Amino acid sequence: MDKLKILFSQLQLFELKYQKIEEASIDSFNIFSILRKSNDEVNLHSRFIYELLNPNGTHKQGSKFLELFLKEIEIKLPSLDVAIFKEKFNIDILITSKPKAIIIENKIDTQDHSNQLSTYFETVKSRGYREKNIFIIYLTLFKEEPNEKKIRDRILNITYTQHIRKWLNSCIKEVATVPTLRETLVQYLNLINRLTHQSDHKGFILEVKDFLLKENNLKTVLNIEDSIIEAKIEIQLTFWRELIDNLQPYYSFKFSNYNGDRDIKQSVEKYYKKQKNRKEYGYEYQVDENLYFFIEIKNNLYYGFYFLDNKKIEKAQVKKLDKIEIDWEDNNYWKYTDKRLNFEKFNTPNVLDLIDKEKREEDIKKISTEIIYLIREYNK
């Protein structure tokens, strides 16, 4: 136990050291993260990447950035006479140069859902593109796999960690003599480095690695792996328990899952101990005939309305849902929490805040207040 205390004290010193380095760095000022949330995939990342790829973009560099991107992902187009679209057919970025088309689906804190990628594929195919000429790019921070298995063999996984960072570095070299554009790209690259833990975290990782390889320190850390998993389980269970306690005076939410689990405890334990074939679980409440409100978790926590049977949807119900003033995800009736809670990675400030009782209660109050508001708005 004494060795554990010493080990943790040393790790905390490493962490403090690199926090101080980051705080002192001029790169901590970033115009992108000031104007938008750093993980805003639609309004920040997709929009900016689209602008760079567009030969007619305000960067005035023609197809230079597009060429570098295609080189990085190793896709050749028949010519650089291209059309680039943003949010066309709900596709984040679509590049066409007949007879080829490139679909780019950008996912940072979210995942694909309900045959999303195959729907895009079929939509582009119906526009006259042959299957072999349609490329699906799945862009994530750390090469997360898409949920959809139907066309997985057609999907090219690229990452911000590797491909986007290398591409941006190439773009920066190309515009070295254009100060405003160069510095804008540098700022965006700094943001990507921060999101992918590539800045001062690299020094932190290397220093911790060297420390763990000394004096059986790694063996000591591995001995507490089970305790870390149990801690994650306890934090998530406490979150669910307190959230439902906040909601029960208003609505009778019931446990729901697709795994055949008997209760929330079994689902959470499986979540951290059995990663394969894991499905959503959470709570739901019947709002109306054929209409339920759900609170679920896959990687992040999300909630909203769903119809039990899409063939029995009433127009009046859709009209009431459309009147609710809220920003839904992907034009569907669900959303993530304003502070993304990624219970799978369990390494962001948002989810780690749940350890602190006061911060957890504050977050749960905001979430439960919004859920109560959404149901009340529907029932007006």
Side-chain angles (χ1 to χ4, degrees):
M1 293 302 291
D2 286 342
K3 184 171 182 180
L4 263 181
K5 287 180 181 178
I6 294 169
L7 189 146
F8 281 129
S9 295
Q10 186 60 54
L11 291 176
Q12 285 172 338
L13 286 174
F14 288 147
E15 186 177 29
L16 182 62
K17 171 184 172 180
Y18 285 94
Q19 279 178 353
K20 294 294 182 185
I21 290 173
E22 186 169 356
E23 287 169 7
S25 171
I26 191 169
D27 291 341
S28 61
F29 176 84
N30 192 286
I31 192 66
F32 289 98
S33 56
I34 291 170
L35 296 177
R36 293 283 182 186
K37 290 181 180 178
S38 297
N39 59 357
D40 188 336
E41 61 197 37
V42 175
N43 297 307
L44 196 166
H45 297 281
S46 291
R47 183 174 291 183
F48 188 70
I49 292 171
Y50 161 81
E51 184 65 21
L52 293 180
L53 293 176
N54 186 359
N56 299 315
T58 53
H59 48 72
K60 304 297 182 185
Q61 300 300 306
S63 61
K64 192 178 292 182
F65 296 150
L66 174 62
E67 291 176 59
L68 291 170
F69 180 76
L70 294 172
K71 182 180 178 181
E72 181 58 41
I73 63 173
E74 299 180 349
I75 291 179
K76 291 182 179 180
L77 293 179
S79 77
L80 289 174
D81 179 20
V82 301
I84 301 188
F85 307 95
K86 179 179 63 184
E87 293 296 325
K88 186 167 187 176
F89 313 125
N90 288 323
I91 298 169
D92 290 335
I93 300 172
L94 175 63
I95 304 172
T96 60
S97 178
K98 286 202 170 180
K100 295 185 177 181
I102 302 173
I103 296 165
I104 301 177
E105 183 60 21
N106 186 18
K107 296 293 183 187
I108 292 183
D109 270 346
T110 61
Q111 290 187 314
D112 56 295
H113 55 87
S114 60
N115 299 320
Q116 186 178 13
L117 298 175
S118 57
T119 298
Y120 296 161
F121 178 80
E122 292 299 330
T123 299
V124 172
K125 182 181 169 184
S126 70
R127 264 64 186 176
Y129 293 88
R130 297 175 68 183
E131 288 188 3
K132 68 176 184 178
N133 291 328
I134 302 172
F135 302 89
I136 305 173
I137 307 297
Y138 194 67
L139 172 58
T140 61
L141 288 178
F142 306 106
K143 204 171 183 178
E144 287 88 348
E145 292 288 333
N147 286 325
E148 191 171 346
K149 297 178 182 178
K150 187 177 177 182
I151 56 168
R152 188 171 284 181
D153 58 334
R154 294 185 174 276
I155 297 169
L156 173 63
N157 281 61
I158 70 170
T159 68
Y160 281 91
T161 309
Q162 180 184 348
H163 303 87
I164 297 300
R165 289 177 65 245
K166 284 179 68 177
W167 171 56
L168 289 171
N169 276 309
S170 299
C171 293
I172 290 167
K173 289 176 184 176
E174 288 291 328
V175 295
T177 58
V178 188
T180 303
L181 182 54
R182 180 192 66 222
E183 292 308 311
T184 302
L185 290 171
V186 167
Q187 286 256 313
Y188 185 62
L189 177 59
N190 288 340
L191 176 64
I192 300 304
N193 285 339
R194 205 173 302 164
L195 281 172
T196 57
H197 314 305
Q198 300 298 312
S199 50
D200 292 318
H201 286 277
K202 195 166 185 179
F204 172 76
I205 290 167
L206 290 174
E207 195 159 352
V208 171
K209 178 203 75 173
D210 291 340
F211 175 72
L212 291 176
L213 293 176
K214 294 176 183 175
E215 302 172 5
N216 286 323
N217 289 336
L218 181 59
K219 182 181 177 182
T220 304
V221 170
L222 291 175
N223 285 338
I224 65 168
E225 273 190 317
D226 289 343
S227 298
I228 292 171
I229 291 172
E230 290 300 325
K232 289 179 180 180
I233 291 170
E234 183 60 31
I235 291 165
Q236 194 186 137
L237 280 174
T238 301
F239 171 83
W240 279 117
R241 186 165 54 248
E242 293 181 4
L243 176 62
I244 298 305
D245 283 347
N246 271 257
L247 292 170
Q248 289 296 47
Y250 304 91
Y251 304 108
S252 299
F253 277 86
K254 295 180 180 178
F255 172 66
S256 170
N257 78 103
Y258 300 94
N259 302 299
D261 301 333
R262 64 179 178 273
D263 55 28
I264 191 69
K265 188 173 186 292
Q266 187 177 24
S267 285
V268 175
E269 286 175 347
K270 279 185 179 180
Y271 185 80
Y272 292 112
K273 294 179 179 180
K274 296 180 181 179
Q275 293 292 315
K276 288 186 177 180
N277 301 318
R278 189 184 64 209
K279 296 180 181 178
E280 297 89 339
Y281 61 88
Y283 288 83
E284 66 180 19
Y285 166 74
Q286 185 167 2
V287 180
D288 200 353
E289 185 71 30
N290 192 42
L291 182 65
Y292 289 76
F293 192 96
F294 66 89
I295 312 165
E296 285 182 354
I297 181 173
K298 183 145 192 182
N299 293 356
N300 294 272
L301 187 81
Y302 57 99
Y303 46 79
F305 297 89
Y306 81 95
F307 290 98
L308 190 63
D309 186 345
N310 287 333
K311 294 179 181 178
K312 296 180 180 179
I313 297 174
E314 299 286 341
K315 288 183 180 179
Q317 291 176 317
V318 174
K319 190 174 180 180
K320 288 170 77 174
L321 289 172
D322 288 339
K323 283 185 177 179
I324 299 174
E325 294 184 8
I326 199 79
D327 291 327
W328 301 114
E329 295 285 337
D330 297 329
N331 298 316
N332 290 307
Y333 301 117
W334 65 273
K335 70 183 293 290
Y336 292 102
T337 51
D338 291 336
K339 282 176 64 176
R340 294 286 176 91
L341 295 175
N342 191 320
F343 282 98
E344 181 182 48
K345 292 180 181 176
F346 223 102
N347 62 355
T348 64
N350 289 351
V351 76
L352 292 173
D353 277 349
L354 298 177
I355 299 170
D356 182 275
K357 187 175 185 294
E358 287 187 9
K359 290 179 180 178
R360 183 177 67 249
E361 287 177 351
E362 182 182 344
D363 288 342
I364 287 173
K365 185 176 180 182
K366 287 179 182 177
I367 294 168
S368 57
T369 298
E370 183 168 66
I371 290 172
I372 292 165
Y373 161 79
L374 292 171
I375 298 173
R376 280 180 174 171
E377 284 297 298
Y378 176 83
N379 286 328
K380 271 187 176 179

